[in-house]
Amino acid sequence: MGQRKHGTGEVVNPWEVSAKEGGKIDYDKLIEKFGCQRLNQTLVDRIERLTSRRAHVFLRRGVFFAHRDFNEILDAYERGEKFYLYTGRGPSSEALHLGHLIPFMFTQYLQEAFKVPLVIQLTDDEKFLWKNLSVEESRRLARENAKDIIACGFDIRRTFIFSDFDYVGGAFYRNMMEISKRVTCNQVVGIFGFTGEDHIGKYCFPPVQAAPSFPSSFPHLFSGKDNLRCLIPCAIDQDPYFRMTRDVAPRIGYQKPALIESLFFPALQGETGKMSASDPNSAIYVTDSEKEIKNKINRYAFSGGQDSIEKHRQLGANLEVDIPIKYLSFFLEDDAELEHTKKEYAAGRMLTGEVKQCLIEVLTKLVERHCRARAAVTDEVTMTAEFEGPLEWQNEVYRKVL
Amino acid sequence: MGQRKHGTGEVVNPWEVSAKEGGKIDYDKLIEKFGCQRLNQTLVDRIERLTSRRAHVFLRRGVFFAHRDFNEILDAYERGEKFYLYTGRGPSSEALHLGHLIPFMFTQYLQEAFKVPLVIQLTDDEKFLWKNLSVEESRRLARENAKDIIACGFDIRRTFIFSDFDYVGGAFYRNMMEISKRVTCNQVVGIFGFTGEDHIGKYCFPPVQAAPSFPSSFPHLFSGKDNLRCLIPCAIDQDPYFRMTRDVAPRIGYQKPALIESLFFPALQGETGKMSASDPNSAIYVTDSEKEIKNKINRYAFSGGQDSIEKHRQLGANLEVDIPIKYLSFFLEDDAELEHTKKEYAAGRMLTGEVKQCLIEVLTKLVERHCRARAAVTDEVTMTAEFEGPLEWQNEVYRKVL
């Protein structure tokens, strides 16, 4: 299961995603290497049938492309059993970029479609341990990020957002220890590539991310429901944590969490991995102005179009490497419009500038909508969703839901 | 700093204490190897002067024989600055034996003599991680042990007893992470001898035992007193934890904890290490009946007396290896009586049976007193001292004390 970097090979782990030099991430190989399953059309059709609504664009377009036991979650749901969703974020920056929004947009859809409770973990402890951040700065970023997350439209009556630095303890800590006792040092070295020079904070963290997979970590939400299944929507780089979790689960008498896993959202410069936090021009942020969005897309979005208009009209665009088309396939809701754009662009009848203009409009609207929603998230809402302890009213809502 | 077992050499670490084959623990070598200081008569005199009372028998007889920065604690105390005490226990068994009582008896004396607050950590997480115990069984043992500890006569208005499984979280967890970030895997391997096959629970535990050394881990007790010094009475096998803690402390802006460290209490069978939990006949338990105490001492206590009365009258006893004399030197308060007994026994005028009879009386009284005190500890008192969260009344008391 080792994922350390070998030469210039592909690296996919929670802290680094990079393709082979000059290449693209080989998702088929990842599925095989990680041992998860492809999310095929039959499953997507089944979701549509069970939820009586159109599948999310991220399902229709294969953004969420892999899973573990998602079919079992649907089996249970079909029998009338609920499940809960678990997703999260490491709050390492003030502003989120579009790639960060993907799991949250998708989780919001799942929550709404299946009407299920959701826990969102903000791993401020992880970011404190991995980055040059103080405890207080990590917690502040967690609170700020919580607002962006809530702005994604979750049903806050069914959502529990927590920061590790504030919530770890009690039943959650006891589950962390149950997990820690079943994972050897050699195993985390194999899974995460830690070295002897790494601090022990890193070695201790995987059980923190594993613990929310078990309902007993949230006694104020799921008391007496130790067998409630958990579904984790996340990018596939998080898979190592949950391979570990699934290995431990039956040994401590719990259900394995199911997963539904996404591709990485490509950088503006091209599809070789995730976006880089250190290069602000590699991504569109939810704090970018209309002008910044326009400028970034026009200047940096890698184009599959030809060098000259003449050549483009003649040969058409290479959609395989074209970033505006990739981005549109994530965020342009209208299937017909997307297909039309791709066809015209590939045939050379649409120019790169026109496709970019379309993307600018789509993203400007998305970012504007997000900013309006975020502005409406008061400190009070954040605190309610996030930092209160056993919330009686939440508890009641959950009991009704489950 | 490695303390792994090499051949048949001496091993002293928190989980194993054994002398070289057939020998005794070499405490001078331990002091040198660990880098602590001997607690000399000048310091004992100073304690008597500062507390205006006779030094505890464990000080007069060298049971607490080593320290780190204890003189600085006294300097501060002399200037009118308070400190707090921190001790603890890993609750691995239902009943405590006499060896377990030693740090608590001594800590009770320190609390009374210096009138300072005290935190007592019950490392039920450690015992869960190291032993074949469930979380619930470890917590139960913690609650049972808490009663024995309270029975040692602490001022419960100035004492906070907590189980890790219940208390870890919040400020305490944040300090655990501050510590974890500053200790590498190689360091804990060097200090504690963990291997790659050990589970990560072990690697994560040292910061849990380190955290109570810092007052900010107890915001409900020591809010705003981040510079309050901490004094840790413990057996010297716990030194590795606090060497690590003292190394980290200045790097996270905290004071180093001071230590005052004891010898090991010898097994009935002889002074080669600590008592063995797996052999009930190696120790006197606080649950032993008068008959059991009598039987254990008469049958198992290793004697330095001679094989026959004639030879004994002629040669006298070898006090160096005699367990009844060792035990009396821990628990017989009266210095004159102890000296007299040693003199008569060494000269062959007292027989082993007479010395054992004296010890039986001393220990029977001690155990009876303990049992009466333990019976008076109601569940309510345990719960008050141990498991309530921020105790307002405690808080008030501490503010008055500090």
Side-chain angles (χ1 to χ4, degrees):
Chain A
M1 298 221 276
Q3 286 164 73
R4 270 158 294 180
K5 200 162 187 167
H6 295 114
T8 55
E10 183 171 293
V11 182
V12 176
N13 68 43
W15 306 281
E16 188 182 358
V17 174
S18 61
K20 268 191 199 167
E21 219 165 277
K24 295 207 282 185
I25 299 286
D26 184 339
Y27 287 107
D28 283 321
K29 225 175 69 186
L30 263 192
I31 284 183
E32 194 187 321
K33 187 170 143 196
F34 285 2
C36 37
Q37 296 146 280
R38 192 163 266 283
L39 204 159
N40 57 27
Q41 190 56 43
T42 317
L43 258 178
V44 175
D45 293 343
R46 194 174 173 206
I47 296 167
E48 293 199 327
R49 213 173 56 243
L50 286 173
T51 59
S52 308
R53 56 187 274 176
R54 187 123 196 254
H56 191 275
V57 62
F58 292 166
L59 285 171
R60 302 201 306 265
R61 312 244 173 97
V63 172
F64 278 78
F65 74 107
H67 76 99
R68 291 177 184 272
D69 292 346
F70 183 51
N71 45 336
E72 291 184 17
I73 292 282
L74 296 182
D75 291 347
Y77 185 80
E78 207 158 19
R79 288 194 304 269
E81 294 166 26
K82 291 273 172 172
F83 58 92
Y84 75 101
L85 293 161
Y86 156 37
T87 191
R89 160 165 173 74
S92 59
S93 64
E94 188 97 29
L96 275 61
H97 59 54
L98 296 180
H100 295 140
L101 290 186
I102 291 184
F104 294 113
M105 292 170 77
F106 186 63
T107 302
Q108 188 277 329
Y109 149 78
L110 290 174
Q111 180 182 47
E112 195 173 292
F114 289 98
K115 298 203 173 24
V116 286
L118 160 67
V119 297
I120 301 176
Q121 178 181 47
L122 299 172
T123 56
D124 47 4
D125 50 354
E126 178 206 5
K127 290 307 166 187
F128 163 76
L129 290 169
W130 262 264
K131 307 268 178 183
N132 186 22
L133 288 173
S134 69
V135 167
E136 281 320 310
E137 179 63 2
S138 306
R139 291 172 78 193
R140 191 186 68 78
L141 291 174
R143 280 190 294 270
E144 286 307 310
N145 287 186
K147 293 181 193 169
D148 283 294
I149 292 167
I150 292 169
C152 291
F154 295 106
D155 179 352
I156 66 160
R157 293 166 311 150
R158 286 181 180 140
T159 303
F160 178 60
I161 309 185
F162 63 98
S163 110
D164 287 339
F165 272 141
D166 287 273
Y167 184 68
V168 165
F172 192 99
Y173 177 65
R174 294 192 283 274
N175 273 346
M176 278 165 53
M177 291 301 103
E178 291 275 15
I179 299 158
S180 300
K181 192 174 177 174
R182 275 84 180 184
V183 180
T184 68
C185 180
N186 286 341
Q187 283 175 310
V188 293
V189 165
I191 299 170
F192 301 103
F194 301 149
T195 72
E197 282 309 305
D198 279 320
H199 59 67
I200 51 173
K202 294 188 180 182
Y203 288 75
C204 305
F205 179 71
V208 181
Q209 185 154 335
S213 311
F214 305 127
S216 59
S217 297
F218 305 96
H220 62 298
L221 307 179
F222 307 129
S223 173
K225 297 183 194 304
D226 284 2
N227 274 314
L228 191 68
R229 297 272 327 224
C230 173
L231 173 65
I232 306 171
C234 61
I236 197 162
D237 60 330
Q238 301 298 303
D239 191 81
Y241 283 118
F242 301 114
R243 282 205 300 280
M244 184 197 86
T245 310
R246 287 167 54 89
D247 178 59
V248 169
R251 294 191 281 142
I252 57 177
Y254 291 140
Q255 300 259 23
K256 291 181 182 190
L259 287 120
I260 183 161
E261 303 177 310
S262 75
L263 310 171
F264 307 116
F265 188 72
L268 280 168
Q269 283 76 3
E271 196 176 14
T272 51
K274 286 207 295 190
M275 283 166 293
S276 159
S278 57
D279 178 7
N281 287 324
S282 71
I284 308 285
Y285 287 83
V286 295
T287 46
D288 283 348
S289 67
E290 187 175 349
K291 204 174 137 193
E292 283 168 319
I293 294 171
K294 189 175 169 181
N295 185 45
K296 281 185 182 180
I297 291 174
N298 282 332
R299 282 186 64 179
Y300 301 109
F302 189 85
S303 169
Q306 305 299 333
D307 293 344
S308 66
I309 294 190
E310 293 67 35
K311 224 169 135 191
H312 186 79
R313 295 286 184 211
Q314 185 193 341
L315 298 172
N318 176 3
L319 302 192
E320 278 304 300
V321 299
D322 191 87
I323 285 297
I325 287 294
K326 294 273 169 209
Y327 276 33
L328 283 173
S329 73
F330 277 84
F331 295 115
L332 178 59
E333 261 284 341
D334 189 323
D335 289 346
E337 190 183 343
L338 180 66
E339 277 319 300
H340 175 76
T341 305
K342 283 165 84 169
K343 200 175 137 199
E344 294 299 297
Y345 191 33
R349 286 189 295 273
M350 261 181 102
L351 298 177
T352 293
E354 294 170 283
V355 177
K356 284 191 169 180
Q357 185 50 40
C358 172
L359 177 63
I360 289 164
E361 281 163 28
V362 167
L363 294 189
T364 302
K365 242 181 250 168
L366 187 152
V367 167
E368 272 176 11
R369 200 170 55 229
H370 181 87
C371 289
R372 269 199 312 277
R374 192 189 195 279
V377 178
T378 61
D379 275 337
E380 202 180 293
V381 169
T382 325
M383 299 304 279
T384 305
E386 190 182 358
F387 291 104
E388 277 186 31
L391 298 174
E392 274 316 300
W393 63 271
Q394 278 202 346
N395 224 339
E396 273 172 41
V397 171
Y398 286 114
R399 285 191 209 288
K400 261 178 240 160
V401 171
L402 293 169
Chain B
M1 299 221 275
Q3 286 164 74
R4 270 159 293 180
K5 200 162 187 167
H6 294 114
T8 54
E10 183 172 293
V11 182
V12 175
N13 68 43
W15 306 281
E16 188 182 358
V17 173
S18 60
K20 269 191 199 167
E21 219 166 278
K24 296 208 282 186
I25 299 285
D26 184 338
Y27 288 106
D28 283 321
K29 224 175 69 186
L30 263 192
I31 284 184
E32 195 188 320
K33 187 170 144 197
F34 285 2
C36 35
Q37 295 146 281
R38 192 162 265 283
L39 204 159
N40 56 27
Q41 191 55 43
T42 317
L43 258 178
V44 175
D45 293 342
R46 194 174 172 206
I47 296 167
E48 293 200 326
R49 212 173 57 243
L50 285 173
T51 59
S52 308
R53 56 188 274 175
R54 188 123 195 254
H56 191 275
V57 62
F58 292 165
L59 284 171
R60 302 201 305 266
R61 312 240 173 100
V63 172
F64 279 78
F65 74 107
H67 75 99
R68 291 177 184 272
D69 293 345
F70 183 51
N71 45 336
E72 291 183 16
I73 292 281
L74 296 182
D75 291 346
Y77 185 79
E78 206 159 19
R79 287 194 304 269
E81 294 166 25
K82 290 272 172 172
F83 58 93
Y84 75 102
L85 293 161
Y86 156 37
T87 191
R89 160 166 174 75
S92 59
S93 63
E94 188 97 28
L96 275 60
H97 58 54
L98 296 180
H100 295 139
L101 290 186
I102 291 184
F104 295 113
M105 292 170 78
F106 187 63
T107 302
Q108 188 276 328
Y109 149 77
L110 290 174
Q111 180 182 48
E112 195 173 292
F114 289 98
K115 297 202 173 27
V116 286
L118 160 67
V119 297
I120 301 176
Q121 179 182 47
L122 299 172
T123 56
D124 47 4
D125 50 353
E126 178 206 5
K127 291 307 166 187
F128 163 76
L129 291 169
W130 261 264
K131 306 269 177 182
N132 186 22
L133 288 174
S134 70
V135 167
E136 281 319 310
E137 180 63 1
S138 306
R139 291 172 78 193
R140 191 186 69 77
L141 291 174
R143 280 189 293 269
E144 286 306 309
N145 286 186
K147 293 180 193 170
D148 283 294
I149 292 167
I150 293 169
C152 291
F154 295 106
D155 179 353
I156 66 160
R157 293 166 310 150
R158 285 180 180 141
T159 303
F160 178 61
I161 309 186
F162 63 97
S163 110
D164 287 339
F165 272 142
D166 287 273
Y167 184 68
V168 164
F172 192 100
Y173 178 65
R174 294 192 284 274
N175 273 345
M176 278 164 54
M177 291 301 103
E178 291 275 14
I179 298 158
S180 300
K181 192 174 177 175
R182 274 83 180 185
V183 180
T184 68
C185 180
N186 286 341
Q187 283 175 310
V188 293
V189 165
I191 298 171
F192 301 103
F194 301 149
T195 72
E197 283 309 306
D198 279 319
H199 59 65
I200 51 173
K202 294 188 180 181
Y203 288 75
C204 305
F205 178 72
V208 181
Q209 185 154 335
S213 311
F214 305 127
S216 59
S217 297
F218 306 97
H220 62 298
L221 307 179
F222 307 129
S223 173
K225 297 183 194 304
D226 284 2
N227 274 313
L228 191 69
R229 296 272 327 225
C230 174
L231 173 64
I232 306 171
C234 61
I236 197 162
D237 60 330
Q238 301 299 303
D239 191 82
Y241 283 118
F242 301 113
R243 282 205 299 280
M244 185 197 86
T245 309
R246 288 167 53 89
D247 178 58
V248 169
R251 293 191 281 143
I252 57 177
Y254 291 141
Q255 300 260 22
K256 292 182 180 187
L259 287 121
I260 183 160
E261 302 178 310
S262 75
L263 310 170
F264 307 117
F265 188 72
L268 280 168
Q269 284 76 2
E271 195 176 15
T272 51
K274 285 207 296 190
M275 283 166 293
S276 159
S278 57
D279 178 7
N281 287 325
S282 72
I284 309 286
Y285 287 83
V286 295
T287 47
D288 283 347
S289 67
E290 187 175 349
K291 205 174 136 194
E292 283 169 318
I293 293 171
K294 190 175 169 180
N295 185 46
K296 280 186 183 180
I297 291 173
N298 282 332
R299 283 186 64 179
Y300 301 109
F302 189 85
S303 169
Q306 305 299 333
D307 293 344
S308 66
I309 295 190
E310 293 68 33
K311 224 170 135 191
H312 186 79
R313 294 286 185 212
Q314 186 193 340
L315 299 171
N318 176 3
L319 302 192
E320 278 305 300
V321 299
D322 191 86
I323 285 296
I325 287 294
K326 295 273 170 210
Y327 276 33
L328 284 172
S329 73
F330 277 83
F331 295 115
L332 178 59
E333 261 283 341
D334 189 322
D335 290 346
E337 190 183 343
L338 179 67
E339 277 319 300
H340 175 76
T341 305
K342 283 165 85 169
K343 200 175 136 200
E344 294 300 297
Y345 190 33
R349 287 188 295 272
M350 261 181 102
L351 298 176
T352 294
E354 295 169 282
V355 177
K356 284 191 169 180
Q357 185 51 40
C358 172
L359 178 63
I360 289 165
E361 281 163 29
V362 167
L363 294 189
T364 301
K365 242 181 251 167
L366 187 152
V367 167
E368 272 176 11
R369 199 170 56 228
H370 181 87
C371 289
R372 270 200 311 277
R374 192 188 194 279
V377 178
T378 61
D379 274 337
E380 201 180 294
V381 169
T382 324
M383 299 303 278
T384 305
E386 191 182 357
F387 291 104
E388 278 187 30
L391 299 174
E392 274 316 299
W393 63 272
Q394 278 202 345
N395 225 338
E396 273 172 40
V397 171
Y398 286 114
R399 284 191 210 289
K400 262 178 239 160
V401 170
L402 293 169

